[in-house]
Amino acid sequence: MPHLLDVPGTVRWIRRDGLDTVLAGLVRYLESDLLRWEEFEKVPRLASHTPHGVIELMPITDRELYSFKYVNGHPHNPARGLQTVTAFGVLADVDNGYPILFAEMTLLTALRTAAMSALAARELARPGARVHALIGAGSQAEFQALAMRTVLGIEELRVMDLDAAAVEKVRRNLEPLGFRVHAAATVEEALEGADVVTTCTADKARAAVLHREQVRPGMHLNAIGGDCPGKTELDPAILEDARVVVEYAPQTRIEGEIQQLPEDFEVTELWRILAGDASGRTSDQEVTVLDSVGFALGDFSALRCALDATSGTDLLGWIDMIADPDDPKDLFSLVTERRPAP
């Protein structure tokens, strides 16, 4: 039977090790897998779009392990008392096709998204970055802040959201953890002194949360909210004047900020920077952008990290999802009266 890492198990793992430790571990697994980029069989995720949101499947394999994630994105769910994003994932053994791990991935997605942001910021933000602006204070906000602190040491936050209660939630959650949180009334106020800017809004619309005239030289922009066709956060003029880094270009051209630009617009995949095939930031004045839509390799890394961190503990359960007749060729025997029901 495959292992099961459910929500209670994931919560206990995070509380056992601490968020900073879990995020640092995820960064290491992400970097390790990104440096094996060419070993992976990659495709853009499969998406089913409706007026209400999107449901996606995200597969990837390195030909030894195979993973996929089921994930939704429904921006209006919070008004119905539901999460915007929910997810689960599977890690399987390519040799026999059997699943090894079934895992919740709502929390894991938040963690791996934040870890990817921080890994990219390590390469792209100016040295000595001290102020992090969060434009959007939804479910991802605290994870982004914690990951940036874990990797870059940033503890000063400037937070703006149209929902004042969401900003207060961020303050309530993060000030006890040592963050200095400034609630900003406008985007301009949030950007004052910011070295790193994370945009994490949820509306499924072609929007411009940031405009070119608001961006100062040397900023690193971490754009994570534009993650499906027709959904953006940045003025395209920002992208035209910036160094743009992506996870997997074929997917980002469909779903990311660069969907607003011509197909031949030049971008750099993050793995190339990590491998030394491309430069990161080239000057203190350069504006850099991570156009992050989330890619299946991040889920692959998160599932590997979660399994390694919880193996041999009571954090994992078992899930009886694989039919296992005594004779592998006699599946019918499971449904006959001569064998007791499981």
Side-chain angles (χ1 to χ4, degrees), residues 71-84:
V71 61
N72 78 298
H74 284 65
H76 302 298
N77 268 1
R80 298 186 284 178
L82 303 172
Q83 292 285 315
T84 300

Side-chain angles (χ1 to χ4, degrees), residues 8-50:
T10 302
V11 169
R12 288 168 57 209
W13 165 41
I14 294 168
R15 290 178 177 174
R16 182 197 72 183
D17 292 357
L19 272 164
D20 289 345
T21 298
V22 171
L23 284 164
L26 282 167
V27 169
R28 289 194 300 272
Y29 273 73
L30 283 168
E31 184 168 16
S32 173
D33 286 336
L34 284 165
L35 288 170
R36 300 191 298 122
W37 182 262
E38 293 180 324
E39 297 177 21
F40 287 87
E41 182 180 305
K42 300 171 288 289
V43 293
R45 58 189 165 205
L46 307 174
S48 175
H49 296 278
T50 71

Side-chain angles (χ1 to χ4, degrees), residues 3-18 22 101-105 107-108 111 305-307 309-311 313-318:
H3 290 292
L4 171 66
L5 182 62
D6 59 11
V7 173
T10 302
V11 169
R12 288 168 57 209
W13 165 41
I14 294 168
R15 290 178 177 174
R16 182 197 72 183
D17 292 357
V22 171
L101 175 69
F102 284 75
E104 84 77 34
M105 291 202 74
L107 281 164
L108 273 182
L111 289 163
C305 180
L307 181 60
T310 58
S311 287
T313 75
D314 63 359
L315 299 175
L316 288 177
W318 297 99

